[in-house]
Amino acid sequence: MKSLSLKISGIPPSATIEITDKARRMKAEGTDVISLSIGEPDFDTPKHITDACIRALLEGKTHYEASQGLLELREAIADKLKAENSIETSAAEIIVSCGAKDTIYEAMEACVNPGDEVLILDPSWVSYEPAVKIADGNPVHHSLRQSDFQVDDSVLEKINSKTKMIVFNTPSNPTGSVLGMESLRLLKDVCEDNDLIALSDEIYEKLIYDKEHISIASLGDMHERTITVNGFSKAYAMTGWRIGYAAAPLPILKQMTKVQQHTISHPATFAMWGAVEALRGDQSCVEDMRQEFDKRRRYLIGALNDIGYKTAPADGAFYAFVNIDGDDMAVSAKWLDEGHVATTPGTAFNAPGWIRISYAADMNTLKEAVRRIGEL
Ligand code: PLP
């Protein structure tokens, strides 16, 4: 066989999935492993949403749809973005794809030319860099301020004539921190002064505690150069449904739609009807899950601090980001091999010296995990 794609060979497998798979193998061999490496809510999708999907199936909503995504869903998304995020948009400027991950890949394919630089703010989610590379762009990394994971002027050092886009995520996976108005205004100025596209991944928007979520696209004219990415996986516990979306200026949106037409066509039609119900139906399920995550967050951060670990500001998402005095890869491996607690080393997020612990697990499991880590 002739050599396979060098571009893909050079991309490492997803670290989070690798660790979760190792924990799964250890469990299958009989070890009592606690898995806190996963980025998935441990709740089932609320019943009114699954009912709407089943109804759609029974009503024969099983055919091809508009490749940009079901119009009723794009209208519901536009209404949500206007009402909750103050983003000026319409169904024409929205695309629905197979999860926010797919949306991000399409955005890169739509915007990036070979040699373009895409600036990623670290610590960063594991799939941004591969998405840039698959689109033949050059990923460039810049670390957020270590003390509070906010943006400062040093970001300018990484901008040059080749920079095309800045990618950031708030609330953040892996840190749990939330970008404040000062950071977002700075990013806005940087994008406007240098004619850059902002890709703002807001998938954890609904999981926020004592802080306000601000969409950069709501600031001034930023909607004219922002791709706002969001989805249903985290807010509505719909990870397996594979539905995400973006609002973007029309020229970008049209490019993304072409990518979608020639790849996935669109997400499953009946799943999109479920997503309509998620947005148009009762929202109390979102608040119930948020409150449960908040209880766990308070417990976990307090307990980790009590056993001597420093943690990043945990204002959003469902992760504790723990500062490790030393080699995060070695410490995370020790926690798994000796304590049987699976976590994710910060190195996977371009943040060596930190470990991410997911609190998408019930309280008893978290208590046992802290006990085990404390004994090591
Ligand atoms: N963006 C971030 C920051 C994530 O953590 C995830 C999932 O882990 C995604 C995007 C992808 O979400 P989806 O399930 O909608 O593809």
Side-chain angles (χ1 to χ4, degrees):
M1 195 191 291
K2 290 188 178 168
S3 71
L4 300 179
S5 159
L6 294 175
K7 182 166 78 179
I8 303 299
S9 310
I11 292 173
S14 161
T16 41
I17 294 177
E18 291 244 305
I19 291 155
T20 306
D21 284 350
K22 180 174 176 190
R24 206 172 277 138
R25 275 199 307 278
M26 287 172 72
K27 266 188 202 166
E29 286 157 10
T31 310
D32 171 25
V33 175
I34 296 178
S35 206
L36 302 181
S37 56
I38 195 101
E40 170 166 43
D42 55 322
F43 304 110
D44 288 333
T45 304
K47 188 169 178 305
H48 64 285
I49 301 174
T50 47
D51 281 349
C53 175
I54 293 166
R55 226 170 21 249
L57 271 169
L58 295 175
E59 287 169 0
K61 288 172 173 152
T62 54
H63 297 275
Y64 284 135
E65 259 300 337
S67 58
Q68 213 178 316
L70 182 73
L71 178 62
E72 287 82 346
L73 179 54
R74 284 184 288 123
E75 284 171 346
I77 292 167
D79 288 349
K80 175 247 180 278
L81 290 174
K82 280 189 241 175
E84 296 183 0
N85 306 83
S86 306
I87 297 177
E88 275 312 312
T89 188
S90 68
E93 291 174 309
I94 286 163
I95 188 165
V96 182
S97 27
C98 284
K101 189 182 270 186
D102 185 33
T103 314
I104 292 163
Y105 273 79
E106 289 180 357
M108 293 301 168
E109 293 287 358
C111 298
V112 172
N113 284 316
D116 282 349
E117 293 188 359
V118 175
L119 185 58
I120 300 171
L121 301 189
D122 289 336
S124 56
W125 181 49
V126 292
S127 292
Y128 297 139
E129 177 171 313
V132 176
K133 285 185 172 166
I134 288 172
D136 288 327
N138 292 336
V140 173
H141 289 268
H142 176 73
S143 290
L144 291 166
R145 197 163 54 208
Q146 287 280 302
S147 54
D148 55 2
F149 294 112
Q150 297 295 314
V151 185
D152 60 28
D153 284 343
S154 61
V155 68
L156 286 166
E157 292 161 17
K158 297 287 173 61
I159 310 281
N160 62 53
S161 59
K162 292 190 194 135
T163 316
K164 176 67 99 33
M165 185 191 278
I166 306 188
V167 179
F168 50 92
N169 171 220
T170 181
S172 159
N173 171 11
T175 68
S177 52
V178 171
L179 291 179
M181 188 56 104
E182 212 178 304
S183 291
L184 293 169
R185 281 203 191 286
L186 217 153
L187 287 173
K188 171 182 182 290
D189 291 347
V190 170
C191 288
E192 289 177 345
D193 293 349
N194 298 279
D195 193 16
L196 307 181
I197 298 165
L199 190 151
S200 176
D201 179 351
E202 304 182 13
I203 190 132
Y204 290 96
E205 169 201 16
K206 295 280 180 185
L207 300 175
I208 193 159
Y209 320 99
D210 316 322
K211 281 268 159 76
E212 189 198 356
H213 171 74
I214 305 162
S215 294
I216 194 165
S218 69
L219 306 181
D221 292 331
M222 273 304 283
H223 64 277
E224 290 172 6
R225 55 174 69 252
T226 303
I227 307 171
T228 303
V229 174
N230 208 323
F232 294 81
S233 293
K234 318 289 176 176
Y236 297 95
M238 288 170 68
T239 45
W241 291 60
R242 311 309 305 130
I243 310 212
Y245 61 87
L250 214 47
I252 296 179
L253 213 284
K254 283 188 177 159
Q255 295 268 89
M256 291 175 73
T257 306
K258 269 198 273 177
V259 177
Q260 179 141 303
Q261 283 170 351
H262 291 297
T263 52
I264 60 157
S265 295
H266 58 75
T269 300
F270 40 90
M272 290 194 281
W273 279 107
V276 172
E277 174 61 23
L279 288 182
R280 296 278 192 215
D282 183 5
Q283 299 298 302
S284 57
C285 55
V286 178
E287 179 56 14
D288 291 348
M289 288 190 268
R290 193 194 69 84
Q291 284 187 15
E292 183 55 36
F293 280 128
D294 191 17
K295 266 189 236 157
R296 298 166 182 185
R297 170 185 79 107
R298 286 168 195 277
Y299 162 72
L300 184 62
I301 298 295
L304 287 168
N305 295 160
D306 285 348
I307 60 171
Y309 288 105
K310 288 198 199 95
T311 47
D315 296 322
F318 41 66
Y319 307 105
F321 206 47
V322 185
N323 191 246
I324 299 297
D325 219 4
D327 178 347
D328 55 298
M329 299 289 283
V331 173
S332 176
K334 181 175 173 179
W335 286 2
L336 179 55
D337 294 335
E338 296 175 28
H340 302 156
V341 179
T343 56
T344 313
T347 297
F349 310 103
N350 257 319
W354 296 82
I355 287 181
R356 188 192 78 172
I357 304 181
S358 164
Y359 49 87
D362 65 54
M363 197 67 107
N364 287 338
T365 304
L366 293 177
K367 285 186 177 161
E368 175 59 13
V370 172
R371 191 192 65 74
R372 291 184 192 185
I373 291 170
E375 278 182 0
L376 289 174

